[in-house]
């Protein structure tokens, strides 16, 4: 990591201000794909990063795609836009109506869930969009333990307390926006107010808090899911199992999660800074990672794929004047890393990796 502390990362970001409208657009476009892909992929959405990019930026579905996953991703993008718009009205306090409305937008409509329990027993229930849960929810941790969230009866009062606490804490200013977002996330997750979508709503609300205070929004990366869940689990052990303890946890009590959260925010801000400042024809970005190709032929191939509607391997070989075996090896590497995919038509390509220029 380039900046060892959150403070240094924020200072580096602030020195870039104000950034151009073009750079704002580049960051927003990158964030839209990264956030929606990762937040939904953590919860089991089956769209690839490439499918997500084409869907959100061009409104098209490529390859085989689960209909539900496509609908979830589109609804996630609408929810993201809704959250960003709300964060810009800085004098407006956070409300439960907004949280429930965000949830309704994310889930779209009520739907039924049917599951088979160990032993063959069938159970079914309805997930209510925009309404707090009507049945208890819990999770089996990675260590095999059952962990209960707030009961349906407790949830309305706990959510009232959570929103009131947040609005008061924001006014008082005793917690930094990053620490406030971390503590809000933890308390919210311990309530788990909805029957589904709690993790996705938590990550949207974290970014609502950051954006409201002019701090770059962040992505909890799916490839780092275990680190994220382990930090929450470590905080649970420190806070205690009672839902009321979690819903009223102090910033000191959630130290393991806070340490993770600050580091994650610093890394994400650092990536934004490098995205805007680290340039070169061999420097590209994919899902929050800076890819610096050692061979300039990778960049030449990617640029050709972006500019040519039809491009065969023989075309690449001829334009770059290198052996066809080398072309095949380079293209296969790009395919294996999912930086590119073959298009529907012969010789067409989808390029998902973004050049930092």
């Amino acid at each position: 990591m380039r900046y060892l502390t959150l403070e240094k990362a924020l200072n580096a970001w602030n020195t870039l201000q104000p950034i151009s409208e073009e750079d704002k657009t580049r960051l927003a476009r990158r964030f839209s794909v990264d956030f929606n892909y990762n937040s939904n992929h953590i919860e089991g959405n089956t769209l690839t990063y490439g499918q997500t990019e084409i869907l959100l930026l061009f409104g098209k579905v490529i390859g085989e795609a689960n209909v539900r996953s496509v609908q979830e991703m589109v609804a996630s993008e609408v929810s993201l836009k809704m959250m960003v718009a709300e964060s810009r009205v800085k004098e407006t306090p956070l409300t439960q109506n907004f949280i429930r409305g965000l949830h309704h937008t994310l889930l779209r409509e009520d739907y039924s869930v049917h599951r088979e329990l160990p032993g063959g027993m069938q159970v079914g229930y309805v997930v209510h969009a925009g309404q707090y849960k009507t049945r208890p929810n819990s999770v089996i941790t990675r260590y095999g333990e059952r962990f209960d969230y707030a009961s349906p009866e407790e949830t309305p009062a706990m959510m009232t307390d959570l929103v009131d606490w947040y609005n008061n804490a924001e006014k008082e200013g005793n917690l930094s926006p990053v620490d406030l977002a971390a503590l809000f996330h933890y308390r919210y997750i311990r309530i788990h107010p909805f029957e589904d979508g709690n993790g996705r709503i938590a990550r949207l609300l974290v970014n609502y808090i950051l954006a409201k205070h002019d701090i770059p929004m962040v992505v909890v990366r799916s490839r780092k899911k275990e680190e994220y869940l382990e930090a929450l689990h470590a905080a649970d052990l420190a806070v205690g199992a009672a839902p009321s303890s979690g819903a009223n946890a102090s910033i000191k009590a959630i130290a393991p999660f806070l340490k993770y959260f600050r580091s994650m925010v610093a890394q994400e801000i650092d990536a934004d800074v490098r995205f805007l400042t680290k340039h070169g024809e061999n420097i590209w970005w994919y899902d929050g990672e800076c890819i610096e190709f050692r061979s300039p032929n990778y960049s030449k191939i990617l640029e050709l794929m972006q500019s040519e509607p039809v491009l065969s391997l023989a075309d690449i070989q001829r334009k770059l004047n290198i052996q066809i075996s080398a072309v095949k090896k380079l293209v296969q590497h790009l395919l294996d890393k999912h930086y590119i995919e073959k298009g529907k038509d012969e010789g067409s390509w989808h390029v998902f990796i973004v050049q930092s220029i």
Side-chain angles (χ1 to χ4, degrees):
M1 178 178 164
R2 184 181 172 192
Y3 302 107
L4 299 179
T5 67
L6 174 61
E7 290 72 23
K8 287 183 178 180
L10 283 169
N11 287 338
W13 170 257
N14 290 331
T15 61
L16 295 179
Q17 305 310 306
I19 61 175
S20 67
E21 290 302 316
E22 181 183 357
D23 281 341
K24 288 180 182 178
T25 299
R26 291 172 61 221
L27 283 172
R29 177 177 173 139
R30 171 175 166 264
F31 181 80
S32 170
V33 177
D34 284 10
F35 177 81
N36 286 302
Y37 167 73
N38 283 281
S39 191
N40 287 283
H41 198 248
I42 286 173
E43 308 300 338
N45 190 284
T46 59
L47 294 190
T48 66
Y49 185 86
Q51 286 176 314
T52 301
E53 181 174 321
I54 295 295
L55 175 65
L56 297 184
L57 300 185
F58 304 104
K60 297 180 180 179
V61 178
I62 61 171
E64 296 184 3
N66 178 276
V67 173
R68 181 177 176 84
S69 289
V70 170
Q71 292 173 338
E72 282 181 349
M73 201 65 75
V74 171
S76 180
E77 171 68 355
V78 175
S79 302
L80 175 59
K81 290 179 178 178
M82 177 180 172
M83 177 274 290
V84 170
E86 186 74 9
S87 73
R88 290 173 178 162
V89 189
K90 298 186 183 297
E91 67 275 10
T92 302
L94 180 65
T95 66
Q96 291 186 72
N97 282 339
F98 169 66
I99 296 174
R100 288 194 296 263
L102 195 63
H103 185 263
H104 192 279
T105 301
L106 184 70
L107 264 62
R108 307 179 309 282
E109 59 187 5
D110 295 356
Y111 58 89
S112 299
V113 175
H114 300 280
R115 290 179 179 166
E116 183 175 327
L117 299 177
M121 180 181 294
Q122 300 286 332
V123 296
Y125 58 92
V126 176
V127 173
H128 301 281
Q131 297 181 34
Y132 292 147
K133 58 192 173 188
T134 58
R135 58 187 297 277
N137 51 6
S138 60
V139 66
I140 302 299
T141 71
R142 58 193 295 185
Y143 303 100
E145 305 160 342
R146 175 173 166 163
F147 196 82
D148 292 314
Y149 299 115
S151 69
E153 294 76 22
E154 295 173 308
T155 293
M158 284 188 174
M159 286 300 294
T160 297
D161 290 345
L162 176 66
V163 169
D164 288 347
W165 162 79
Y166 167 78
N167 288 323
N168 289 331
E170 185 180 44
K171 288 180 182 178
E172 292 169 357
N174 294 326
L175 294 175
S176 72
V178 172
D179 288 2
L180 184 60
L183 187 52
F184 182 93
H185 179 289
Y186 183 79
R187 288 184 172 191
Y188 173 91
I189 285 295
R190 288 296 302 269
I191 299 171
H192 241 62
F194 301 106
E195 282 147 335
D196 190 20
N198 290 291
R200 287 172 287 168
I201 292 293
R203 292 185 287 276
L204 281 165
L205 291 175
V206 157
N207 281 309
Y208 163 82
I209 296 170
L210 296 178
K212 196 172 184 183
H213 293 87
D214 300 315
I215 294 174
M217 296 187 291
V218 298
V219 177
V220 178
R221 304 285 168 180
S222 178
R223 62 178 177 270
K224 298 180 179 179
K225 176 181 177 179
E226 294 307 314
E227 181 182 347
Y228 172 56
L229 296 179
E230 185 60 34
L232 285 169
H233 176 70
D236 290 339
L237 294 177
V239 171
S244 59
S245 298
N248 295 282
S250 67
I251 194 71
K252 183 178 179 180
I254 68 161
F257 182 70
L258 182 62
K259 180 180 179 181
Y260 154 81
F261 191 84
R262 286 175 174 169
S263 176
M264 182 269 293
V265 173
Q267 290 177 53
E268 289 291 304
I269 294 174
D270 174 65
D272 286 342
V273 170
R274 288 186 292 131
F275 182 73
L276 295 179
T277 60
K278 188 173 182 178
H279 304 305
E281 63 179 16
N282 293 325
I283 297 174
W284 296 69
W285 286 82
Y286 180 81
D287 190 15
E289 288 189 317
C290 182
I291 313 298
E292 190 164 0
F293 293 117
R294 294 183 180 180
S295 169
N297 285 328
Y298 282 115
S299 289
K300 292 176 181 178
I301 291 172
L302 291 167
E303 288 166 0
L304 285 171
M305 288 178 171
Q306 289 177 323
S307 62
E308 302 280 348
V310 177
L311 188 72
S312 68
L313 297 184
D315 292 332
I316 297 173
Q317 187 273 331
R318 186 178 63 257
K319 290 176 182 290
L320 298 189
N321 195 27
I322 60 177
Q323 294 183 353
I324 192 67
S325 59
V327 171
K328 291 179 179 179
K329 184 176 180 180
L330 292 167
V331 171
Q332 189 59 52
H333 177 76
L334 295 173
L335 287 167
D336 291 343
K337 290 291 187 178
H338 304 292
Y339 299 156
I340 63 172
E341 287 182 14
K342 293 180 180 179
K344 183 178 180 181
D345 299 324
E346 184 68 26
S348 64
W349 304 89
H350 298 297
V351 177
F352 306 117
I353 191 168
V354 178
Q355 195 169 25
S356 181
I357 57 174

